[in-house]
């Protein structure tokens, strides 16, 4: 028998998606039902206790194989102390409540950087707490996946290099998410004057933070849109000095190359370009 992974029942994924939804709602300038849902189901609950196991696992890296095995065994044993019936019921109620406020397909339509680890750990916990006979190969595969997250021992040089770069990318994304979420803490009072296009940009950078292709496509579309808008507005500008400066800026605005990585600096550039567009619109009125 094989245990199938379910993102609808994975407390690590559910928690991460709720946090992202709160961020997205805040950028839209509206109250976020996800905030109350998160508090209701993850604060001092059995589901919250299960999520803590995922959180602990994700924080552990660069361990020796011995320590990594101790971490896995400890977390698995801890999962046995949970009331599985209560956890199952809380997950069912959580999904029902999310469905009342959001489209489930859209809510779950996000590529998470740690998805593979979340899935392996969920499956391992389900296997551990199942009364059915499970294919041992599945247990081995999941443990290997988790061990590769916890330690780089006995891995070929090329694999080590790939994993190091992958972890670096993940860390960078986490830092960016923290920065964006920090910005949002005072969003309603400090950033009320953001142009709607700037809010759209911030929202897209957060929701696509782990989707390089989608973010690059979004950035390219915005760059082309901004360039066309500036050219159009500049034709209406009467001040020749301003026209010259705008032409210089326009000449520097180019879409990214096919393999370019979109960074925070690109985010700042887009926000500033829209500030410039707003100023030109005001001047031309």
């Amino acid at each position: 028998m094989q245990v199938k992974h379910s993102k609808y029942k994975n407390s690590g994924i559910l928690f991460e998606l709720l946090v992202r939804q709160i961020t997205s709602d805040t950028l839209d300038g509206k109250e976020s039902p996800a905030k109350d849902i998160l508090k209701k189901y993850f604060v001092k609950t059995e589901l919250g206790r299960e999520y803590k196991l995922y959180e602990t696992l994700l924080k552990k890296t660069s361990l020796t194989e011995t320590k990594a095995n101790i971490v896995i065994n400890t977390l698995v044993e801890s999962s046995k102390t949970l009331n599985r019936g209560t956890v199952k019921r809380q997950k069912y109620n959580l999904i029902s409540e999310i469905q009342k406020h959001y489209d489930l397909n859209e809510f779950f339509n996000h590529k998470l950087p740690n998805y593979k680890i979340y899935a392996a750990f969920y499956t391992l916990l389900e296997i551990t707490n199942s009364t059915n006979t499970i294919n041992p190969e599945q247990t081995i595969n999941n443990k290997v996946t988790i061990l590769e997250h916890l330690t780089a021992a006995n891995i070929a040089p090329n694999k080590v290099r790939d994993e190091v770069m992958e972890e670096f990318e993940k860390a960078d994304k986490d830092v960016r998410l923290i920065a964006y979420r920090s910005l949002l803490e005072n969003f309603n009072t400090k950033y009320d004057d953001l142009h709607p296009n700037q809010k759209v940009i911030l929202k897209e950078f957060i929701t696509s933070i782990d989707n390089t292709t989608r973010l690059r496509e979004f950035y390219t579309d915005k760059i082309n849109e901004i360039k066309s808008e500036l050219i159009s507005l500049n034709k209406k500008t009467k001040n020749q000095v301003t026209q010259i400066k705008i032409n210089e800026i326009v000449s520097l605005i180019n879409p990214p190359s096919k393999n370019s990585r979109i960074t925070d600096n690109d985010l700042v550039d887009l926000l500033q370009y829209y500030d410039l567009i707003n100023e030109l619109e005001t001047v031309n009125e």
Side-chain angles (χ1 to χ4, degrees):
M1 177 179 174
Q2 292 274 343
V3 172
K4 293 183 178 180
H5 173 247
S6 171
K7 59 186 177 183
Y8 293 89
K9 299 177 182 179
N10 189 311
S11 59
I13 289 175
L14 288 168
F15 183 91
E16 179 66 23
L17 291 178
L18 281 169
V19 171
R20 290 182 177 222
Q21 189 64 57
I22 293 169
T23 303
S24 180
D25 289 344
T26 305
L27 279 173
D28 283 339
K30 60 185 181 183
E31 288 295 320
S32 178
K35 184 177 180 181
D36 291 330
I37 294 173
L38 186 72
K39 289 181 179 179
K40 180 178 179 180
Y41 288 95
F42 285 92
V43 177
K44 297 180 180 180
T45 64
E46 284 297 282
L47 183 55
R49 287 181 62 203
E50 184 180 68
Y51 166 70
K52 284 295 181 181
L53 301 180
Y54 286 83
E55 183 182 49
T56 301
L57 177 68
L58 266 294
K59 287 181 178 179
K60 301 292 184 180
T61 56
S62 303
L63 302 179
T64 64
E65 187 172 346
T66 300
K67 289 183 178 179
N69 275 302
I70 290 174
V71 168
I72 294 174
N73 292 335
T74 301
L75 293 178
V76 167
E77 287 301 311
S78 295
S79 74
K80 296 178 180 179
T81 67
L82 298 173
N83 186 318
R84 307 308 301 178
T86 300
V87 171
K88 183 178 181 180
R89 184 173 63 255
Q90 289 176 349
K91 287 179 182 178
Y92 177 84
N93 292 337
L94 169 59
I95 294 298
S96 296
E97 195 149 350
I98 291 174
Q99 194 170 21
K100 291 178 183 177
H101 300 280
Y102 304 102
D103 180 277
L104 284 184
N105 290 327
E106 291 183 6
F107 182 85
F108 282 95
N109 188 29
H110 292 286
K111 183 179 178 182
L112 301 177
N114 292 313
Y115 184 89
K116 185 177 179 181
I117 308 302
Y118 282 135
F121 191 55
Y122 167 87
T123 307
L124 187 60
L125 294 186
E126 290 298 305
I127 290 172
T128 300
N129 292 284
S130 174
T131 57
N132 297 317
T133 302
I134 308 297
N135 185 344
E137 192 66 28
Q138 187 177 22
T139 302
I140 293 170
N141 291 336
N142 284 293
K143 282 193 174 182
V144 168
T145 297
I146 297 170
L147 280 170
E148 287 178 348
H149 161 71
L150 294 172
T151 176
N154 299 321
I155 299 176
N158 287 339
K159 191 170 184 180
V160 171
R161 182 168 59 252
D162 291 342
E163 288 184 353
V164 168
M165 290 305 297
E166 184 180 352
E167 289 305 314
F168 179 83
E169 290 288 328
K170 290 177 185 176
D172 181 58
K173 291 168 188 172
D174 289 341
V175 170
R176 287 164 64 191
L177 274 175
I178 291 171
Y180 295 154
R181 289 169 187 167
S182 176
L183 176 151
L184 290 172
E185 287 179 0
N186 298 310
F187 182 81
N188 289 330
T189 56
K190 189 175 181 180
Y191 295 93
D192 253 355
D193 57 345
L194 279 181
H195 188 278
N197 281 322
Q198 291 173 315
K199 293 181 181 180
V200 169
I201 289 169
L202 282 171
K203 179 181 178 181
E204 188 63 32
F205 263 70
I206 289 173
T207 57
S208 300
I209 196 169
D210 46 32
N211 190 328
T212 304
T213 301
R214 174 177 166 178
L215 193 57
R216 185 166 53 243
E217 290 175 351
F218 172 81
Y219 179 79
T220 300
D221 290 342
K222 284 299 174 184
I223 279 293
N224 290 331
E225 179 183 304
I226 288 168
K227 192 166 186 173
S228 297
E229 186 70 14
L230 285 174
I231 291 173
S232 176
L233 287 170
N234 204 29
K235 290 178 180 179
K236 302 175 185 178
T237 302
K238 298 178 181 179
N239 188 296
Q240 290 186 344
V241 175
T242 300
Q243 284 185 334
I244 292 172
K245 290 182 178 180
I246 297 302
N247 284 331
E248 290 177 353
I249 293 173
V250 168
S251 68
L252 297 173
I253 300 176
N254 294 302
S257 63
K258 186 176 180 180
N259 297 318
S260 294
R261 180 169 174 271
I262 307 304
T263 68
D264 291 350
N265 290 333
D266 297 314
L267 165 63
V268 174
D269 286 342
L270 289 181
L271 296 178
Q272 291 180 336
Y273 288 146
Y274 274 110
D275 274 340
L276 180 58
I277 287 174
N278 291 338
E279 290 179 14
L280 283 175
E281 288 176 339
T282 301
V283 169
N284 290 342
E285 288 179 353

